[in-house]
Amino acid sequence: MKKLTVLSGGTGGARFLQGLLHGIMAGTLPGVDADAEVTIVANTADDWWVHGLKVCPDLDTVMYTLGDGIDAGRGWGRRDETWSAKEELAAYGVEPTWFGLGDRDIATHLVRTQLIDAGYPLSQVTEALCKRWLAPAWGDRVRLIPMTDDRVETHVAIADPESPSGRRVVH
């Protein structure tokens, strides 16, 4: 095989991809050429807008992992991250306080949001971001694309008697 397509989520998918790419490069996968090209179709159902930014956790986790920028201890986010913006938002009482974007990670979301606001589809935005993260390590051999350019988000409504509607949406 010279071309492979892999469906991927976030942390687990990114770790699987690391092993797959290692096996390809080492030539230890039967029937797979050592110079095979891999297209990764990443989940976007966990994407959401928070603090005015488009956040794509699964795309970013795969991108950072394969681009050697992931925080390996957490399995998500950037290595050597700081949390000043998260702390400031919490000091203002801005929700969601359970979720935080690291200062370095915010740069990715700012760039993504600006490009989407300029009219580019998520697939082209992801391609542009991957020029920084994937191209230096993998060239054209690894391509990361979102499962769709359409807005797809997962929301769960739970009972919340303190809410005027009697429910609360959880991302």
Side-chain angles (χ1 to χ4, degrees):
M1 284 186 278
K2 290 191 130 326
K3 294 186 179 199
L4 289 95
T5 301
V6 179
L7 304 179
S8 179
T11 304
R15 290 185 177 155
F16 168 80
L17 288 160
Q18 281 181 309
L20 176 70
L21 292 170
H22 175 76
I24 291 171
M25 290 181 55
T28 58
L29 298 178
V32 179
D33 292 358
D35 63 345
E37 297 176 8
V38 178
T39 299
I40 304 155
V41 181
N43 174 45
T44 60
D46 291 335
D47 293 7
W48 65 314
W49 289 83
V50 61
H51 307 307
L53 301 174
K54 173 74 170 174
V55 177
C56 302
D58 291 350
L59 284 168
D60 294 343
T61 298
V62 171
M63 184 175 69
Y64 294 155
T65 298
L66 300 183
D68 196 31
I70 196 79
D71 182 314
R74 282 194 317 263
W76 57 271
R78 295 284 306 279
R79 178 186 312 119
D80 301 323
E81 189 64 90
T82 56
W83 301 95
S84 298
K86 178 186 185 302
E87 292 164 5
E88 286 298 309
L89 288 166
Y92 282 111
V94 175
E95 292 290 336
T97 55
W98 61 267
F99 179 81
L101 299 173
D103 300 326
R104 300 179 83 197
D105 194 31
I106 286 174
T108 297
H109 308 310
L110 285 167
V111 170
R112 177 184 293 117
T113 302
Q114 288 174 352
L115 291 171
I116 287 173
D117 286 348
Y120 292 96
L122 184 57
S123 55
Q124 287 182 345
V125 172
T126 302
E127 182 179 356
L129 293 172
C130 286
K131 286 181 182 173
R132 173 180 180 198
W133 290 101
L134 299 184
W138 303 102
D140 293 334
R141 293 182 54 200
V142 176
R143 183 172 176 233
L144 175 62
I145 60 174
M147 69 181 196
T148 182
D149 281 327
D150 293 334
R151 183 173 179 167
V152 178
E153 298 177 6
T154 303
H155 300 271
V156 177
I158 62 171
D160 183 356
E162 295 180 20
S163 171
S165 68
R167 64 184 180 94
R168 177 171 50 108
V169 175
V170 180
H171 301 274

